Amino acid sequence: MPVLVITGTGTEVGKTVTTAAVAAAALAAGRSVAVLKAAQTGVRPDERGDADEVARLAGGVTADELARYPEPLAPGTAARRAGMAPVHPQEVAERAAKLATDHDLVLVEGAGGLLVRFDAAGGTLADAARLLGAPVLIVAQAGLGTLNATELTARELRRRGLEPFGVVIGSWPTAPDLATRCNLSDLPEVSATPLLGALPAGSGALPPAGFRASAPGWLSPRLDGTWDAEAFRAREGAWQGA
């Protein structure tokens, strides 16, 4: 798995922190890692972007970014409004493939959800994943409403001939409600792909050293971690309901 594409079921689901955790776990396993942000929006030229944040949390990764647009919009819209050149899926694939020649693992982080448009032709992260032939990790919310969005994302990946690598919950609350607990069982069922981890809420606010030490414990062995889905369900309590 030289390239892993990471998408969210929407915005603000914990995609960047999850990318950092995957990077930190891979580094702890002795692998060299690059992180490519396909298109960064809503950030000024002098501000830190998502790839920079992954590097801050995870440590020794190569951080790369294809394009940056000032307004917090879909990349295609942000590029058009700024009068800047858009990013195309072919460019994402070419940059990721180049990084893969020098790294054991390249993580390609999208912007928002799977079908957010990069350009006027409707190019998306899914198109970049198809060009790369890369599996796609889905980052999902924990609570009510996540099942529909996660299933739709997994279905669209399969419709395009892409492999859903698994699902990671981007922010697991300290006091999960019934729907959230039940989703531990329902998410892998509706997506027909394994649950590969759950990051505690607020993980991104940890000091980098603490984040790096903890990250493998949030992710399954398929992501270089030690997290066990069944043990997590048992520890979280009455997830099955009566």
Side-chain angles (χ1 to χ4, degrees):
M1 185 184 62
V3 179
L4 179 64
V5 174
I6 300 180
T7 190
T9 54
T11 59
E12 304 299 325
V13 297
K15 186 167 66 272
T16 297
V17 179
T18 298
T19 301
V22 174
L27 288 168
R31 304 169 74 188
S32 58
V33 181
V35 176
L36 174 62
K37 181 69 177 182
Q40 179 72 63
T41 66
V43 177
R44 298 191 309 267
D46 60 334
E47 291 183 304
R48 296 176 62 87
D50 290 345
D52 298 317
E53 179 64 6
V54 172
R56 183 186 74 84
L57 288 170
V61 305
T62 299
D64 198 2
E65 180 184 282
L66 270 175
R68 175 174 292 208
Y69 308 110
E71 295 180 313
L73 303 167
T77 305
R80 184 180 70 247
R81 284 180 52 84
M84 299 171 67
V87 170
H88 303 290
Q90 183 67 39
E91 295 174 275
V92 179
E94 288 174 354
R95 184 69 65 86
K98 182 177 180 181
L99 289 167
T101 63
D102 298 318
H103 299 83
D104 299 321
L105 176 64
V106 179
L107 303 174
V108 180
E109 182 186 345
L114 180 68
L115 299 185
V116 169
R117 295 190 171 198
F118 287 157
D119 56 26
T124 67
L125 185 68
D127 296 314
R130 179 181 54 78
L131 290 168
L132 286 161
V136 181
L137 181 66
I138 302 169
V139 182
Q141 292 179 309
L144 193 65
T146 194
L147 298 180
N148 180 67
T150 304
E151 182 171 359
L152 287 172
T153 301
R155 284 191 181 192
E156 180 62 18
L157 285 169
R158 292 190 174 96
R159 188 185 72 82
R160 291 170 175 254
L162 295 168
E163 175 195 351
F165 188 74
V167 176
V168 170
I169 296 172
S171 180
W172 183 259
T174 55
D177 59 17
L178 178 61
T180 301
R181 292 172 188 262
C182 288
N183 286 341
L184 287 174
S185 177
D186 292 341
L187 275 168
E189 180 178 349
V190 302
S191 65
T193 192
L195 188 62
L196 298 183
L199 276 63
S203 298
L206 290 173
F211 183 92
R212 295 165 197 171
S214 300
W218 303 330
L219 302 168
S220 86
R222 288 190 70 190
L223 291 169
D224 296 309
T226 60
W227 185 84
D228 182 87
E230 294 302 324
F232 189 79
R233 290 186 183 106
R235 185 170 72 249
E236 287 302 311
W239 56 276
Q240 296 183 80

